[in-house]
């Protein structure tokens, strides 16, 4: 038994489970000439669909399983099964692989599962002119031929019975296929209706998707706008924070300034209080001076009356700084009554003083220097601090500070 490069798929499926009517072999000769290539023609029926590993084998008549092939060829897959011409196919067996005896053989179509889908009528491999040769056979050969003929008839009868059984099975399968076909048509209609509904829903979804896309674009624009607004708000917040920080600094400065003003106000209040005290002291001093002035006026009147002079007849002269000198009393409104009268007999107040430095009686250089210093200085009546006469404004401010 000759084989090609790759063994075909076979199985131990018996003849009773095969389907011989799905592939039909056409133009099968009764015999083929040896040493010549053989072309096998076959046609696919409507429900059958060929596959890549299907094959056609040459089997000796009387085979039981697909393992008993003599040689085989792979089938050619058609491009389009809906085309009628594509259903008619052929394969060619090379003469080298064909049987060399005169037994009866047949073509069988086997699918890739090892199931037979079609079988041809029997044929032989013998010369073409063999029927024209007169053969003289003996009785023994005749008996042999008869036994062979009986075997062939028995095999043919078995095959006829098989074909009848197969035909009945095919009819039943055809009815089942018809009912299944109707169910499939109903199912196809349902699927088409579902497909139409799904297409409509798909259109709605596409429209909804477009609307969502537009909404998404709108939301993106709003998001960008909000982002810009947020950025501006952050900038404004930074400016506000800077303004708040400046206001805090200004508040701190204002509080410091307020504290300074409060301190200054407190100082002014203290100075005002000191000034009030000074004013009260000066007022009392003024009252005292006025009392002393009244006393001096009465004393002056008494002395004038004692000297025989009239007080009202005396001409009042306002002494100047040159006339009064350092010893003139500014508190006397009518002047010093002792000025120019018995000056030689009335000693100066300085003459009766004793110098604290040299312990000398009367006027000395130290007393004159002290008298000149008093004429050139201003003394604070509160604390006794001395200021030069050229710093009169400072002296007045100093005295005013005591009132605060």
């Amino acid at each position: 038994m000759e084989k090609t490069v790759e063994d075909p798929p076979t199985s131990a499926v018996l003849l009773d489970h095969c389907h011989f009517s799905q592939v039909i072999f056409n133009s099968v000769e009764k015999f083929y000439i040896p040493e010549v290539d053989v072309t096998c023609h076959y046609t696919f029926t409507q429900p059958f669909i060929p596959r890549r590993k299907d094959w056609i084998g040459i089997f000796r008549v009387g085979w039981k399983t697909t393992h008993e092939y003599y040689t085989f060829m792979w089938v050619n897959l058609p491009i389009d099964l809906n085309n009628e011409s594509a259903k008619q196919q052929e394969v060619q067996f090379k003469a080298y692989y064909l049987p060399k005896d005169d037994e009866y053989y047949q073509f069988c179509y086997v699918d890739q599962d090892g199931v037979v889908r079609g079988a041809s009528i029997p044929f032989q491999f013998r010369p073409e002119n063999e029927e024209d040769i007169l053969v003289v056979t003996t009785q023994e050969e005749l008996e042999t031929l008869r036994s062979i003929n009986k075997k062939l008839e028995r095999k043919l009868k078995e095959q006829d019975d098989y074909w009848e059984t197969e035909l009945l099975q095919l009819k039943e399968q055809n009815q089942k296929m018809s009912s299944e076909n109707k169910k499939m048509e109903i199912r196809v209609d349902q699927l088409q209706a579902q497909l139409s509904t799904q297409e409509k829903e798909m259109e709605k979804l596409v429209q909804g998707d477009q609307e969502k896309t537009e909404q998404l674009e709108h939301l993106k624009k709003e998001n960008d706008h909000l982002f810009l607004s947020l950025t501006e708000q952050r900038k404004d917040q930074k400016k506000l924070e800077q303004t708040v920080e400046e206001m805090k600094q200004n508040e701190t400065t204002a509080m410091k300034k307020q504290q300074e003003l409060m301190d200054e106000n407190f100082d002014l209040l203290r100075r005002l209080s000191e000034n009030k005290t000074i004013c009260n002291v000066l007022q009392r001093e003024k009252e005292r001076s006025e009392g002393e002035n009244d006393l001096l006026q009465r004393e002056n009147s008494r002395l004038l009356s004692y000297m025989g002079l009239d007080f009202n007849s005396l001409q009042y002269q306002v002494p100047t700084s040159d006339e009064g000198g350092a010893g003139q009393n500014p508190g006397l409104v009518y002047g010093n009554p002792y000025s120019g009268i018995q000056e030689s007999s009335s000693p100066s107040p300085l003459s009766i003083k004793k110098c604290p430095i040299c312990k000398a009686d009367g006027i000395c250089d130290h007393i004159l220097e002290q008298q000149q210093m008093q004429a050139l200085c201003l003394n604070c009546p509160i604390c006794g601090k001395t200021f030069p006469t050229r710093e009169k404004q400072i002296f007045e401010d100093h005295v005013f500070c005591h009132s605060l």
Side-chain angles (χ1 to χ4, degrees):
M1 184 182 296
E2 299 292 337
K3 294 184 181 180
T4 55
V5 178
E6 182 182 358
D7 291 337
T10 59
S11 67
V13 178
L14 299 177
L15 293 176
D16 295 340
H17 300 282
C18 298
H19 307 277
F20 293 98
S21 62
Q22 293 181 349
V23 179
I24 300 173
F25 290 92
N26 305 319
S27 304
V28 180
E29 302 292 339
K30 291 182 180 180
F31 64 90
Y32 292 95
I33 300 174
E35 305 299 332
V36 177
D37 296 341
V38 175
T39 302
C40 174
H41 301 274
Y42 58 95
T43 304
F44 297 116
T45 58
Q46 184 65 30
F48 180 73
I49 298 176
R51 291 181 290 181
R52 188 173 62 87
K53 287 291 186 177
D54 293 357
W55 53 282
I56 295 176
I58 297 177
F59 291 80
R60 183 177 295 175
V61 175
W63 59 273
K64 298 297 181 180
T65 64
T66 54
H67 295 290
E68 301 176 13
Y69 68 92
Y70 185 87
T71 185
F72 78 97
M73 290 294 295
W74 298 109
V75 300
N76 299 319
L77 292 178
I79 298 174
D80 185 10
L81 286 175
N82 295 324
N83 190 357
E84 292 295 333
S85 60
K87 295 180 180 180
Q88 298 178 1
Q89 299 291 326
E90 63 180 27
V91 292
Q92 190 177 45
F93 292 89
K94 297 298 181 179
Y96 177 77
Y97 299 104
L98 296 176
K100 303 298 189 289
D101 55 11
D102 57 353
E103 295 290 335
Y104 283 91
Y105 294 90
Q106 63 180 157
F107 299 114
C108 291
Y109 188 99
V110 185
D111 62 9
Q112 66 179 12
D113 296 327
V115 179
V116 178
R117 299 295 179 176
S120 69
I121 61 174
F123 56 85
Q124 286 181 297
F125 292 94
R126 60 184 179 82
E128 185 178 2
N129 58 354
E130 186 175 350
E131 294 179 352
D132 298 334
I133 298 173
L134 181 60
V135 179
V136 179
T137 60
T138 60
Q139 185 66 31
E140 185 178 356
E141 291 176 351
L142 183 59
E143 291 296 333
T144 303
L145 290 174
R146 286 177 180 176
S147 62
I148 293 173
N149 191 17
K150 287 181 180 181
K151 289 180 181 180
L152 290 174
E153 287 178 356
R154 188 168 53 252
K155 288 181 180 179
L156 288 175
K157 186 177 181 181
E158 291 177 355
Q159 287 188 355
D160 289 339
D161 294 337
Y162 170 75
W163 288 118
E164 288 179 359
T165 305
E166 185 69 21
L167 183 60
L168 293 174
Q169 291 179 357
L170 289 175
K171 286 181 179 180
E172 291 177 358
Q173 290 179 0
N174 191 13
Q175 290 178 357
K176 291 180 181 180
M177 291 293 292
S178 299
S179 61
E180 290 178 358
N181 191 14
K182 290 180 181 180
K183 292 180 181 179
M184 288 297 294
E185 288 178 355
I186 296 172
R187 181 59 179 169
V188 168
D189 293 336
Q190 292 177 354
L191 290 175
Q192 287 179 352
Q194 291 179 0
L195 181 61
S196 177
T197 305
Q198 289 179 357
E199 287 179 352
K200 292 180 181 179
E201 291 178 354
M202 184 64 71
E203 291 178 357
K204 292 180 180 179
L205 290 174
V206 170
Q207 292 178 356
D209 192 15
Q210 291 177 355
E211 292 177 356
K212 289 181 180 179
T213 304
E214 293 176 357
Q215 292 178 359
L216 183 61
E217 292 294 333
H218 181 67
L219 290 175
K220 285 183 179 179
K221 292 181 181 179
E222 288 184 352
N223 190 16
D224 294 337
H225 181 68
L226 290 175
F227 181 75
L228 293 175
S229 300
L230 182 61
T231 304
E232 293 178 357
Q233 289 180 1
R234 286 178 179 175
K235 292 181 180 178
D236 295 338
Q237 185 179 2
K238 287 183 180 179
K239 291 181 180 179
L240 288 175
E241 289 177 355
Q242 292 177 357
T243 305
V244 169
E245 188 66 26
E246 291 177 357
M247 291 178 66
K248 287 182 179 179
Q249 293 178 358
N250 294 333
E251 183 180 1
T252 304
T253 305
M255 291 179 66
K256 290 181 180 178
K257 190 172 182 181
Q258 183 181 5
Q259 186 65 31
E260 292 177 356
L261 290 174
M262 290 176 66
D263 295 339
E264 186 177 357
N265 189 18
F266 178 76
D267 188 41
L268 290 174
L269 290 174
R270 185 179 58 79
R271 290 173 64 183
L272 180 60
S273 177
E274 291 179 357
N275 285 336
K276 285 182 179 180
T277 304
I278 293 171
C279 183
N280 294 329
V281 172
L282 292 176
Q283 184 68 29
R284 289 193 297 271
E285 183 69 21
K286 179 182 177 182
E287 292 175 354
R288 186 184 62 79
S289 298
E290 288 178 352
E292 289 179 356
N293 193 16
D294 291 339
L295 292 174
L296 288 174
Q297 284 182 359
R298 288 194 297 270
E299 183 69 20
N300 192 16
S301 297
R302 186 183 66 79
L303 289 175
L304 287 175
S305 63
Y306 179 77
M307 293 175 66
L309 297 175
D310 188 6
F311 179 78
N312 294 325
S313 64
L314 292 176
Q315 184 179 1
Y316 174 75
Q317 295 179 355
V318 179
T320 61
S321 61
D322 294 336
E323 294 176 353
Q328 186 70 28
N329 191 350
L332 300 179
V333 178
Y334 299 99
N336 190 353
Y338 300 101
S339 178
I341 301 176
Q342 295 178 355
E343 184 176 359
S344 60
S345 61
S346 300
S348 174
L350 294 174
S351 62
I352 61 176
K353 291 181 180 180
K354 188 174 182 179
C355 179
I357 298 174
C358 62
K359 307 296 181 180
D361 296 331
I363 299 173
C364 66
D365 293 337
H366 298 95
I367 293 175
L368 291 175
E369 185 178 357
Q370 183 178 4
Q371 188 176 5
Q372 290 177 359
M373 287 294 294
Q374 289 178 355
L376 296 176
C377 296
L378 300 172
N379 294 325
C380 176
I382 305 301
C383 63
K385 188 177 181 179
T386 303
F387 294 89
T389 55
R390 64 178 180 273
E391 297 179 355
K392 185 178 180 180
Q393 184 65 37
I394 298 174
F395 169 74
E396 293 177 354
D397 293 340
H398 173 74
V399 176
F400 180 74
C401 287
H402 283 296
S403 66
L404 299 178

